[in-house]
Amino acid sequence: MKIENPIEKNVFLALKETKRATLDEICKRTGLDKDKVSRAIYWLINKGIVKIEEKKDFIIRRKKDYLPEYLLYDYLVKEGNKHINELRDKFKDINILIGWLRKKNLIEIKNGVVYPKEFKETEDLKLFNMLKHPVRYSELNDELKKGFDMLKSRKEFIEIKEISEKYYVLTDLGMKYEITVEEDHLTSLTPEIILNLKEGKLSYDNINVVKAEFIKKPVKIAKLHPLRELMEEIREIFLGMGFEEISGNVVESCFWNFDALFVPQDHPAREMQDTFYLSKPSRLDIDEKFLENVKKAHEGGYYSVGWRYKWKKSLAEKALLRTHTTAVTIRYLAYNGNKESKVFYIGRVYRKEKITYKHLPEFHQVEGIVVGKVTFRDLMGILKEFYKRLGFEKIRFRPSYFPYTEPSLEIEIFFEKKGKWLELGGAGMFRPEVVRPFGIEYNVLAWGLGLERLVMLRYELDDIRKLYFSDIDWLRYI
Amino acid sequence: MPVIKINLKKLEKLLEFKISREKIIETIPIIGSDIENIEENYLYVEFFPNRPDLYSIEGVARALKYFLEIDEAKEYKLEKSDIKVYVDSTVKHVRPYIVACLIEDVRFEDDEDIEHLIEFQEDLHWALGRNRRKVAIGIHDYDKILSKTFYYTTSKHEKFIPLNETREYTLDEILMYHETGKKYGYIIKEAKRYPVIKDSKLRIISFPPIINADFTRISLDTRRIFVEMTGTDKYLLEKAMNIFTSNLIERGCKVKSVEIIYDKNNIVVTPNLRFEEFPLKIDHVREILGLELNIDEISKCLKRMGYIVEELNTSTLKVRIPPYRVDIFHEIDLIEDVAIGYGYPNIKETIPKVHTMAKPDRFEELAKRLRKLLIGLGFNEVLTLTLTNREFEMKCGINKNAVEIQNPIGKEYKNLRTSIIPSLIRFLTINKYKELPIKIFEIGNVFEIVEDEKVLERKNLCLMIYDSKANINDVLSIIYVLEKFFNVSFKLEYTDENVCLKNRCGKIYYKNRQIGIFGELNPKILIEADLNSPVAFLEINLDYLT
């Protein structure tokens, strides 16, 4: 237990000197205001150094300016001996007065005659004279206390009010507690000390600082969101491999999200139960220059048998929230044409999923694209490099299926923490039916992965909602 | 995607060759699938929708035999039956096409075999039939029918006992009360007359695409099966029939064809079980895969994938595609099978030689620097959903024209947000018992419909300070910092929008355009959001500052 606070220190010292003191007394002694002292006392009580003692006391006040027996005594001294019967006419309650004076040994009575004796100031008179101002019983000395005992029954002349008062005293622990030399010293350096050192008023050897206690108190940490950390990491990886970052929009037509990617117009993924369609706006314009070629790819062309149906423009115009980032990359390819390029995009995608620990209706994907004289082996090579930079040394591929890539593959990484192979992303080469309509003759490598899954693996999260309906403390301290 | 339950003992029997389980488990994913679960005697495997021929154990056994070079593909032998199906012209308006066949030498070992066949049928409905819309399959115990003629026609008022029922139903009753009727009835509900298949005694054996009759039900005793498939897509019907029959051939059944008579001049024999030819240029294979394979190696890879391959000339292969394959659109599909046949694990990687310069997106770079700045000022980055509802935005005093979803997951997520302010208020409500101050920001998209139904997608920064002492001065300091950051100066004007506490809010103008709002949140909103301390906020559009 330590008293470090300077106010507490002052209060402690005041109590140590007085042994017992009221709040007012401590304030007076320390020169501090009531608020500060109360707070310091509160802490000292908590530390077991100070305790409260409740004490009863009396405040004594006088009601009259005199005690009547002395009027009688003064009269006797002035007029000489008198017979009691003579006095009875002059003084009310003569018997009581004579009783008091006899008690105080100020008179003598012989055969009914009252003789005054030599004056002597009794304790009760002493006290009574003091009572020009009210006095506390606890402040009286023994002599005056005797006076109080004599006076206390005389309610006509004095008023006694009982009060109870709080005192603060040191506990046994407090009595033993010493503000050591060390503690009287500095907790750390101050500008004054540095100045004094500089000016030679103080030498280093004379500085005694308190030995620090090693307590690691948490502070609130401002940070990037864990998903952002991953996104930035992935951006760095792509930029480090010479890729260009592209941008795109969320509200998209079926055309770019599906048709341009050779997804048939009756594909299950296009149904209302999987994709968010919009009622406002319900349709979007499609650049006329691409319509005919995409229609041709679907109906059969570019050396493909196509989907054997009549492609409908009206279905392609429907507005939706993009379901994958490939909507952005295919748009880029369409407008960029047959040029060598390497691009990537990171963004949100939307799927019609209820909010559960496993799924959210929106999440992030990243996608990389290489356009050029490239091969399936190149795809495997760049994937290996990309995942290595993401921290996955062990990686393997197996065949997969996407409507818009052929050949396609699934990426599996060996996740050390769990000791097993996990699926982490898909890849492939864009089908001729996808790229030829946009005049692209080069081969196109493409791959993508969902970011939430990777973040969840990294932080061992089992509830995806934590990323979007976050606990601020989780964000602060993760 | 369907998960196929594979009985390993039955698979081993079909393979006719001792192959270790390890080898089977190792090979199945390399052919193109994802093993979901392994039990002592069962594998649960997810195959992709482009290969419905692998949706039964027989198809998997066939693929394994070819891949492991135990066997090679050959043409299917097909005998003729004397069964004829007469198609009434009235079906044209409902489900115009039908294919059929007779399967003999059927032998079910146990109930599991029957279950497996029915699951296979359902998976085909899913993958090819678009849930029975395009293709619906019916299988019948032929020995319970013994009819040489069938009629594919339409009807409205007839009755029959549907599968697993004990009383007669009218067709309308089935649509109204029967479980599968309620499920698939929508496909034909609009029609005036419903499609039915009848035998020579004019008994209804099937009411496609809904249900079969009970009396033709398959059992362990079934030796001959009559298969009929009806639908709207002739090509897919033929494919579904090819897959179904070729897979049954793998378990030793014999398939006999049936004549479908649309009219005198239009007679079709089904199934066809023909291998279609497709030329493949060797150069194209090399160019796509980057593998220096010679013609023999390529043809070996293709054979492992079940193709019959002939050399057309030194640079071209004549590839004959099995009748059960539905995924060969283009040469590229064969090239993928060359790669799978070669084995993905055997392909050595190379690095693409496309030399380009890195170029970050301008906005993303700016956002990155801005985030650093805000973190330095003690703000935590948060991410929230962009799906919200307009009512909540209006309660927050924001009233802009929002993008609206036609089929939302719920009322709460019907719109795209037009402002990040409500998102962050929600975040604070979640965290209201946490240690204060809470200082958060998000840089994200907002969406607004402007004139001509155009959607404007914008990037906003929104930040909030939630603290017992939070006030407008806190955000005024941030505005000072932002001016320094962007090296601009903003004009501030008082505003009395609903989102704000009056006299304590302002708008931010840049080049005479309003780009932001800041101040203290209206206490009505705080009460609505169940927040007990004041919130100082700032939302600013970044598009004009980039």
Side-chain angles (χ1 to χ4, degrees), chain A residues 318-363:
Chain A
K318 287 207 295 186
L320 48 69
L321 301 182
R322 68 177 178 216
T323 64
H324 50 187
T325 43
T326 319
V328 175
T329 46
I330 188 62
R331 219 181 222 280
Y332 171 84
L333 288 180
Y335 285 95
N336 193 51
N338 195 39
K339 276 181 235 151
E340 283 200 331
S341 59
K342 293 193 299 208
V343 300
F344 75 98
Y345 179 69
I346 302 173
R348 272 189 207 213
V349 298
Y350 299 75
R351 304 262 171 97
K352 195 178 170 189
E353 296 276 6
K354 287 245 153 65
I355 296 176
T356 64
Y357 74 101
K358 252 175 140 168
H359 296 290
L360 288 177
E362 44 185 299
F363 56 96

Short mmCIF file of all heavy atoms in Angstrom, two decimals, chain A residues 318-363:
data_model
loop_
_atom_site.label_atom_id
_atom_site.label_comp_id
_atom_site.label_asym_id
_atom_site.label_seq_id
_atom_site.Cartn_x
_atom_site.Cartn_y
_atom_site.Cartn_z
N LYS A 318 -31.34 -6.42 -67.01
CA LYS A 318 -31.80 -6.34 -65.62
C LYS A 318 -30.68 -5.86 -64.69
O LYS A 318 -29.53 -6.27 -64.82
CB LYS A 318 -32.29 -7.72 -65.15
CG LYS A 318 -33.63 -8.09 -65.78
CD LYS A 318 -34.45 -9.06 -64.93
CE LYS A 318 -33.82 -10.41 -64.78
NZ LYS A 318 -34.64 -11.38 -64.09
N ALA A 319 -31.06 -4.98 -63.75
CA ALA A 319 -30.06 -4.44 -62.84
C ALA A 319 -29.93 -5.33 -61.61
O ALA A 319 -30.92 -5.88 -61.12
CB ALA A 319 -30.47 -3.03 -62.41
N LEU A 320 -28.70 -5.46 -61.12
CA LEU A 320 -28.46 -6.30 -59.95
C LEU A 320 -27.28 -5.73 -59.14
O LEU A 320 -26.66 -4.75 -59.54
CB LEU A 320 -28.16 -7.74 -60.38
CG LEU A 320 -27.14 -8.01 -61.50
CD1 LEU A 320 -25.73 -7.69 -61.09
CD2 LEU A 320 -27.21 -9.45 -61.93
N LEU A 321 -27.04 -6.33 -58.01
CA LEU A 321 -25.81 -6.04 -57.26
C LEU A 321 -24.81 -7.12 -57.66
O LEU A 321 -25.14 -8.30 -57.60
CB LEU A 321 -26.07 -6.09 -55.76
CG LEU A 321 -27.14 -5.12 -55.25
CD1 LEU A 321 -27.26 -5.23 -53.72
CD2 LEU A 321 -26.79 -3.68 -55.64
N ARG A 322 -23.65 -6.70 -58.08
CA ARG A 322 -22.69 -7.66 -58.63
C ARG A 322 -22.48 -8.83 -57.66
O ARG A 322 -22.41 -8.63 -56.44
CB ARG A 322 -21.36 -6.99 -58.96
CG ARG A 322 -20.61 -6.52 -57.73
CD ARG A 322 -19.25 -5.92 -58.08
NE ARG A 322 -18.60 -5.43 -56.88
CZ ARG A 322 -17.85 -4.35 -56.81
NH1 ARG A 322 -17.64 -3.61 -57.89
NH2 ARG A 322 -17.30 -3.99 -55.67
N THR A 323 -22.41 -10.04 -58.23
CA THR A 323 -22.26 -11.22 -57.38
C THR A 323 -20.81 -11.68 -57.29
O THR A 323 -20.49 -12.56 -56.51
CB THR A 323 -23.11 -12.39 -57.90
OG1 THR A 323 -22.61 -12.76 -59.19
CG2 THR A 323 -24.57 -11.99 -58.02
N HIS A 324 -19.97 -11.10 -58.12
CA HIS A 324 -18.54 -11.43 -58.07
C HIS A 324 -17.73 -10.30 -58.70
O HIS A 324 -18.26 -9.49 -59.46
CB HIS A 324 -18.23 -12.77 -58.76
CG HIS A 324 -18.83 -12.90 -60.14
ND1 HIS A 324 -18.79 -14.05 -60.85
CD2 HIS A 324 -19.46 -12.01 -60.93
CE1 HIS A 324 -19.38 -13.87 -62.02
NE2 HIS A 324 -19.80 -12.64 -62.09
N THR A 325 -16.45 -10.25 -58.37
CA THR A 325 -15.62 -9.17 -58.88
C THR A 325 -15.29 -9.37 -60.36
O THR A 325 -14.79 -8.46 -61.02
CB THR A 325 -14.31 -9.06 -58.07
OG1 THR A 325 -13.79 -10.37 -57.86
CG2 THR A 325 -14.55 -8.39 -56.74
N THR A 326 -15.60 -10.56 -60.88
CA THR A 326 -15.35 -10.80 -62.30
C THR A 326 -16.16 -9.85 -63.18
O THR A 326 -15.79 -9.56 -64.32
CB THR A 326 -15.66 -12.27 -62.64
OG1 THR A 326 -15.17 -13.08 -61.57
CG2 THR A 326 -14.97 -12.70 -63.91
N ALA A 327 -17.28 -9.34 -62.62
CA ALA A 327 -18.06 -8.33 -63.35
C ALA A 327 -17.19 -7.11 -63.64
O ALA A 327 -17.34 -6.46 -64.68
CB ALA A 327 -19.29 -7.94 -62.54
N VAL A 328 -16.29 -6.80 -62.73
CA VAL A 328 -15.41 -5.63 -62.90
C VAL A 328 -14.28 -5.96 -63.88
O VAL A 328 -13.98 -5.18 -64.77
CB VAL A 328 -14.84 -5.19 -61.55
CG1 VAL A 328 -13.82 -4.06 -61.73
CG2 VAL A 328 -15.96 -4.75 -60.62
N THR A 329 -13.71 -7.14 -63.75
CA THR A 329 -12.56 -7.46 -64.62
C THR A 329 -12.99 -7.66 -66.07
O THR A 329 -12.29 -7.24 -66.98
CB THR A 329 -11.78 -8.68 -64.10
OG1 THR A 329 -12.69 -9.70 -63.74
CG2 THR A 329 -10.96 -8.32 -62.89
N ILE A 330 -14.17 -8.26 -66.28
CA ILE A 330 -14.59 -8.48 -67.67
C ILE A 330 -14.90 -7.14 -68.35
O ILE A 330 -14.60 -6.92 -69.51
CB ILE A 330 -15.78 -9.47 -67.78
CG1 ILE A 330 -16.06 -9.84 -69.25
CG2 ILE A 330 -17.05 -8.93 -67.16
CD1 ILE A 330 -14.92 -10.53 -69.94
N ARG A 331 -15.47 -6.21 -67.59
CA ARG A 331 -15.73 -4.88 -68.11
C ARG A 331 -14.40 -4.21 -68.53
O ARG A 331 -14.29 -3.61 -69.59
CB ARG A 331 -16.37 -4.03 -67.02
CG ARG A 331 -17.45 -3.11 -67.49
CD ARG A 331 -17.94 -2.34 -66.28
NE ARG A 331 -19.38 -2.20 -66.21
CZ ARG A 331 -20.06 -1.29 -66.90
NH1 ARG A 331 -19.45 -0.49 -67.73
NH2 ARG A 331 -21.36 -1.20 -66.75
N TYR A 332 -13.41 -4.38 -67.65
CA TYR A 332 -12.10 -3.80 -67.96
C TYR A 332 -11.57 -4.42 -69.26
O TYR A 332 -11.11 -3.72 -70.17
CB TYR A 332 -11.12 -4.05 -66.81
CG TYR A 332 -9.70 -3.67 -67.16
CD1 TYR A 332 -9.26 -2.35 -67.03
CD2 TYR A 332 -8.81 -4.62 -67.67
CE1 TYR A 332 -7.98 -1.99 -67.38
CE2 TYR A 332 -7.53 -4.26 -68.03
CZ TYR A 332 -7.11 -2.95 -67.88
OH TYR A 332 -5.84 -2.59 -68.24
N LEU A 333 -11.64 -5.74 -69.35
CA LEU A 333 -11.13 -6.43 -70.54
C LEU A 333 -11.85 -5.96 -71.80
O LEU A 333 -11.23 -5.72 -72.82
CB LEU A 333 -11.31 -7.94 -70.39
CG LEU A 333 -10.40 -8.65 -69.39
CD1 LEU A 333 -10.72 -10.14 -69.36
CD2 LEU A 333 -8.94 -8.45 -69.75
N ALA A 334 -13.17 -5.82 -71.69
CA ALA A 334 -13.97 -5.42 -72.85
C ALA A 334 -13.51 -4.07 -73.39
O ALA A 334 -13.38 -3.87 -74.60
CB ALA A 334 -15.44 -5.39 -72.49
N TYR A 335 -13.27 -3.14 -72.49
CA TYR A 335 -12.90 -1.80 -72.93
C TYR A 335 -11.41 -1.67 -73.22
O TYR A 335 -10.99 -0.81 -73.98
CB TYR A 335 -13.35 -0.75 -71.89
CG TYR A 335 -14.85 -0.51 -71.95
CD1 TYR A 335 -15.71 -1.19 -71.10
CD2 TYR A 335 -15.38 0.37 -72.90
CE1 TYR A 335 -17.10 -0.99 -71.17
CE2 TYR A 335 -16.75 0.58 -72.99
CZ TYR A 335 -17.61 -0.10 -72.12
OH TYR A 335 -18.96 0.10 -72.21
N ASN A 336 -10.61 -2.53 -72.62
CA ASN A 336 -9.17 -2.45 -72.82
C ASN A 336 -8.74 -3.14 -74.11
O ASN A 336 -7.72 -2.81 -74.69
CB ASN A 336 -8.46 -3.06 -71.62
CG ASN A 336 -6.98 -2.74 -71.59
OD1 ASN A 336 -6.61 -1.58 -71.70
ND2 ASN A 336 -6.15 -3.76 -71.50
N GLY A 337 -9.52 -4.14 -74.55
CA GLY A 337 -9.24 -4.82 -75.80
C GLY A 337 -8.04 -5.75 -75.74
O GLY A 337 -7.61 -6.17 -74.66
N ASN A 338 -7.51 -6.07 -76.90
CA ASN A 338 -6.47 -7.09 -77.00
C ASN A 338 -5.08 -6.53 -76.70
O ASN A 338 -4.24 -6.38 -77.58
CB ASN A 338 -6.50 -7.70 -78.41
CG ASN A 338 -5.71 -8.98 -78.47
OD1 ASN A 338 -5.75 -9.78 -77.53
ND2 ASN A 338 -4.99 -9.18 -79.56
N LYS A 339 -4.86 -6.17 -75.43
CA LYS A 339 -3.56 -5.64 -75.03
C LYS A 339 -3.02 -6.47 -73.89
O LYS A 339 -3.78 -6.90 -73.03
CB LYS A 339 -3.72 -4.19 -74.55
CG LYS A 339 -3.72 -3.16 -75.65
CD LYS A 339 -3.84 -1.77 -75.05
CE LYS A 339 -5.02 -1.05 -75.68
NZ LYS A 339 -5.65 -0.09 -74.83
N GLU A 340 -1.69 -6.63 -73.89
CA GLU A 340 -1.09 -7.32 -72.75
C GLU A 340 -1.35 -6.51 -71.49
O GLU A 340 -1.17 -5.29 -71.48
CB GLU A 340 0.42 -7.44 -72.95
CG GLU A 340 0.83 -8.51 -73.92
CD GLU A 340 2.29 -8.90 -73.72
OE1 GLU A 340 3.08 -8.04 -73.28
OE2 GLU A 340 2.63 -10.06 -74.00
N SER A 341 -1.77 -7.15 -70.43
CA SER A 341 -1.97 -6.41 -69.19
C SER A 341 -2.04 -7.35 -68.00
O SER A 341 -2.25 -8.57 -68.14
CB SER A 341 -3.23 -5.54 -69.27
OG SER A 341 -4.35 -6.36 -69.51
N LYS A 342 -1.81 -6.78 -66.85
CA LYS A 342 -1.98 -7.50 -65.59
C LYS A 342 -2.74 -6.55 -64.66
O LYS A 342 -2.25 -5.47 -64.34
CB LYS A 342 -0.62 -7.85 -64.97
CG LYS A 342 0.18 -8.86 -65.77
CD LYS A 342 1.36 -9.44 -65.00
CE LYS A 342 2.34 -8.39 -64.59
NZ LYS A 342 3.72 -8.86 -64.46
N VAL A 343 -3.91 -6.94 -64.26
CA VAL A 343 -4.71 -6.06 -63.40
C VAL A 343 -5.29 -6.84 -62.23
O VAL A 343 -5.38 -8.06 -62.26
CB VAL A 343 -5.86 -5.37 -64.18
CG1 VAL A 343 -5.33 -4.53 -65.31
CG2 VAL A 343 -6.87 -6.40 -64.68
N PHE A 344 -5.67 -6.08 -61.21
CA PHE A 344 -6.37 -6.73 -60.09
C PHE A 344 -7.42 -5.78 -59.54
O PHE A 344 -7.40 -4.57 -59.80
CB PHE A 344 -5.39 -7.14 -58.98
CG PHE A 344 -4.87 -5.99 -58.14
CD1 PHE A 344 -5.46 -5.72 -56.89
CD2 PHE A 344 -3.83 -5.20 -58.57
CE1 PHE A 344 -4.98 -4.68 -56.11
CE2 PHE A 344 -3.35 -4.15 -57.79
CZ PHE A 344 -3.93 -3.89 -56.55
N TYR A 345 -8.34 -6.38 -58.81
CA TYR A 345 -9.43 -5.59 -58.22
C TYR A 345 -9.84 -6.23 -56.89
O TYR A 345 -9.91 -7.45 -56.76
CB TYR A 345 -10.65 -5.55 -59.16
CG TYR A 345 -11.80 -4.77 -58.58
CD1 TYR A 345 -11.70 -3.38 -58.44
CD2 TYR A 345 -12.96 -5.41 -58.15
CE1 TYR A 345 -12.75 -2.66 -57.88
CE2 TYR A 345 -14.00 -4.68 -57.59
CZ TYR A 345 -13.89 -3.31 -57.45
OH TYR A 345 -14.90 -2.60 -56.90
N ILE A 346 -10.07 -5.38 -55.89
CA ILE A 346 -10.58 -5.86 -54.61
C ILE A 346 -11.88 -5.12 -54.34
O ILE A 346 -11.92 -3.89 -54.45
CB ILE A 346 -9.59 -5.55 -53.46
CG1 ILE A 346 -8.23 -6.19 -53.73
CG2 ILE A 346 -10.15 -6.04 -52.12
CD1 ILE A 346 -7.15 -5.79 -52.74
N GLY A 347 -12.93 -5.83 -54.02
CA GLY A 347 -14.18 -5.12 -53.76
C GLY A 347 -15.25 -6.00 -53.15
O GLY A 347 -15.08 -7.21 -52.97
N ARG A 348 -16.35 -5.31 -52.82
CA ARG A 348 -17.47 -6.02 -52.21
C ARG A 348 -18.33 -6.68 -53.26
O ARG A 348 -18.54 -6.12 -54.33
CB ARG A 348 -18.36 -5.04 -51.46
CG ARG A 348 -17.92 -4.84 -50.05
CD ARG A 348 -18.93 -4.04 -49.28
NE ARG A 348 -18.19 -3.37 -48.23
CZ ARG A 348 -18.68 -3.11 -47.03
NH1 ARG A 348 -19.91 -3.41 -46.74
NH2 ARG A 348 -17.93 -2.53 -46.12
N VAL A 349 -18.86 -7.85 -52.94
CA VAL A 349 -19.83 -8.52 -53.80
C VAL A 349 -21.03 -8.92 -52.96
O VAL A 349 -20.94 -8.94 -51.72
CB VAL A 349 -19.20 -9.75 -54.50
CG1 VAL A 349 -18.06 -9.32 -55.38
CG2 VAL A 349 -18.75 -10.77 -53.47
N TYR A 350 -22.12 -9.20 -53.62
CA TYR A 350 -23.40 -9.41 -52.92
C TYR A 350 -24.05 -10.72 -53.36
O TYR A 350 -24.11 -11.01 -54.55
CB TYR A 350 -24.35 -8.24 -53.23
CG TYR A 350 -23.80 -6.90 -52.77
CD1 TYR A 350 -22.77 -6.27 -53.47
CD2 TYR A 350 -24.29 -6.28 -51.63
CE1 TYR A 350 -22.25 -5.06 -53.04
CE2 TYR A 350 -23.79 -5.06 -51.19
CZ TYR A 350 -22.76 -4.46 -51.90
OH TYR A 350 -22.23 -3.27 -51.49
N ARG A 351 -24.49 -11.50 -52.39
CA ARG A 351 -25.24 -12.73 -52.71
C ARG A 351 -26.42 -12.79 -51.77
O ARG A 351 -26.33 -12.37 -50.62
CB ARG A 351 -24.38 -13.98 -52.47
CG ARG A 351 -23.07 -14.01 -53.22
CD ARG A 351 -23.14 -14.83 -54.50
NE ARG A 351 -21.92 -14.63 -55.27
CZ ARG A 351 -20.88 -15.47 -55.23
NH1 ARG A 351 -20.94 -16.55 -54.48
NH2 ARG A 351 -19.80 -15.24 -55.95
N LYS A 352 -27.49 -13.37 -52.27
CA LYS A 352 -28.69 -13.41 -51.43
C LYS A 352 -28.54 -14.50 -50.36
O LYS A 352 -28.93 -15.65 -50.54
CB LYS A 352 -29.94 -13.67 -52.27
CG LYS A 352 -31.18 -13.37 -51.49
CD LYS A 352 -32.44 -13.54 -52.28
CE LYS A 352 -33.62 -13.46 -51.33
NZ LYS A 352 -34.86 -13.83 -51.99
N GLU A 353 -27.95 -14.12 -49.25
CA GLU A 353 -27.74 -15.04 -48.13
C GLU A 353 -28.30 -14.38 -46.88
O GLU A 353 -28.11 -13.19 -46.67
CB GLU A 353 -26.23 -15.27 -47.90
CG GLU A 353 -25.50 -15.94 -49.03
CD GLU A 353 -25.61 -17.45 -48.98
OE1 GLU A 353 -26.36 -17.97 -48.13
OE2 GLU A 353 -24.94 -18.10 -49.82
N LYS A 354 -28.94 -15.17 -46.04
CA LYS A 354 -29.39 -14.66 -44.75
C LYS A 354 -28.17 -14.44 -43.85
O LYS A 354 -27.15 -15.09 -44.03
CB LYS A 354 -30.33 -15.67 -44.09
CG LYS A 354 -31.70 -15.72 -44.75
CD LYS A 354 -32.79 -15.24 -43.79
CE LYS A 354 -33.98 -14.64 -44.51
NZ LYS A 354 -34.71 -15.61 -45.33
N ILE A 355 -28.31 -13.52 -42.89
CA ILE A 355 -27.18 -13.24 -42.01
C ILE A 355 -27.08 -14.31 -40.93
O ILE A 355 -27.98 -14.45 -40.10
CB ILE A 355 -27.33 -11.84 -41.39
CG1 ILE A 355 -27.28 -10.79 -42.51
CG2 ILE A 355 -26.24 -11.58 -40.35
CD1 ILE A 355 -27.50 -9.38 -42.05
N THR A 356 -26.01 -15.09 -40.99
CA THR A 356 -25.78 -16.14 -39.99
C THR A 356 -24.31 -16.10 -39.63
O THR A 356 -23.56 -15.28 -40.16
CB THR A 356 -26.09 -17.53 -40.55
OG1 THR A 356 -25.17 -17.80 -41.63
CG2 THR A 356 -27.52 -17.63 -41.07
N TYR A 357 -23.90 -17.02 -38.76
CA TYR A 357 -22.48 -17.06 -38.40
C TYR A 357 -21.61 -17.42 -39.60
O TYR A 357 -20.42 -17.16 -39.63
CB TYR A 357 -22.23 -18.04 -37.25
CG TYR A 357 -22.32 -19.49 -37.63
CD1 TYR A 357 -21.16 -20.24 -37.84
CD2 TYR A 357 -23.55 -20.11 -37.80
CE1 TYR A 357 -21.23 -21.57 -38.21
CE2 TYR A 357 -23.63 -21.44 -38.17
CZ TYR A 357 -22.47 -22.16 -38.37
OH TYR A 357 -22.54 -23.46 -38.74
N LYS A 358 -22.23 -18.04 -40.60
CA LYS A 358 -21.48 -18.53 -41.76
C LYS A 358 -21.54 -17.59 -42.96
O LYS A 358 -20.62 -17.54 -43.75
CB LYS A 358 -22.10 -19.86 -42.20
CG LYS A 358 -21.27 -21.09 -41.90
CD LYS A 358 -22.12 -22.27 -42.29
CE LYS A 358 -21.32 -23.35 -42.96
NZ LYS A 358 -22.14 -24.57 -43.05
N HIS A 359 -22.66 -16.89 -43.11
CA HIS A 359 -22.87 -16.13 -44.33
C HIS A 359 -23.33 -14.71 -44.07
O HIS A 359 -24.03 -14.44 -43.10
CB HIS A 359 -23.94 -16.79 -45.20
CG HIS A 359 -23.54 -18.14 -45.70
ND1 HIS A 359 -22.57 -18.33 -46.64
CD2 HIS A 359 -23.98 -19.38 -45.38
CE1 HIS A 359 -22.42 -19.61 -46.88
NE2 HIS A 359 -23.27 -20.28 -46.13
N LEU A 360 -22.94 -13.84 -44.98
CA LEU A 360 -23.46 -12.48 -45.00
C LEU A 360 -23.90 -12.17 -46.42
O LEU A 360 -23.36 -12.74 -47.37
CB LEU A 360 -22.36 -11.49 -44.59
CG LEU A 360 -21.93 -11.48 -43.14
CD1 LEU A 360 -20.79 -10.51 -42.95
CD2 LEU A 360 -23.08 -11.12 -42.23
N PRO A 361 -24.84 -11.24 -46.57
CA PRO A 361 -25.26 -10.92 -47.95
C PRO A 361 -24.22 -10.11 -48.71
O PRO A 361 -24.34 -9.91 -49.90
CB PRO A 361 -26.54 -10.11 -47.74
CG PRO A 361 -26.45 -9.58 -46.35
CD PRO A 361 -25.65 -10.56 -45.57
N GLU A 362 -23.19 -9.60 -48.02
CA GLU A 362 -22.11 -8.93 -48.74
C GLU A 362 -20.76 -9.34 -48.15
O GLU A 362 -20.66 -9.57 -46.95
CB GLU A 362 -22.27 -7.41 -48.74
CG GLU A 362 -22.68 -6.78 -47.44
CD GLU A 362 -22.94 -5.28 -47.58
OE1 GLU A 362 -22.01 -4.56 -47.93
OE2 GLU A 362 -24.07 -4.86 -47.31
N PHE A 363 -19.79 -9.44 -49.01
CA PHE A 363 -18.45 -9.82 -48.57
C PHE A 363 -17.44 -9.35 -49.63
O PHE A 363 -17.84 -8.76 -50.63
CB PHE A 363 -18.35 -11.32 -48.31
CG PHE A 363 -18.76 -12.19 -49.47
CD1 PHE A 363 -17.80 -12.70 -50.34
CD2 PHE A 363 -20.08 -12.50 -49.69
CE1 PHE A 363 -18.17 -13.50 -51.41
CE2 PHE A 363 -20.46 -13.30 -50.77
CZ PHE A 363 -19.50 -13.80 -51.62
#
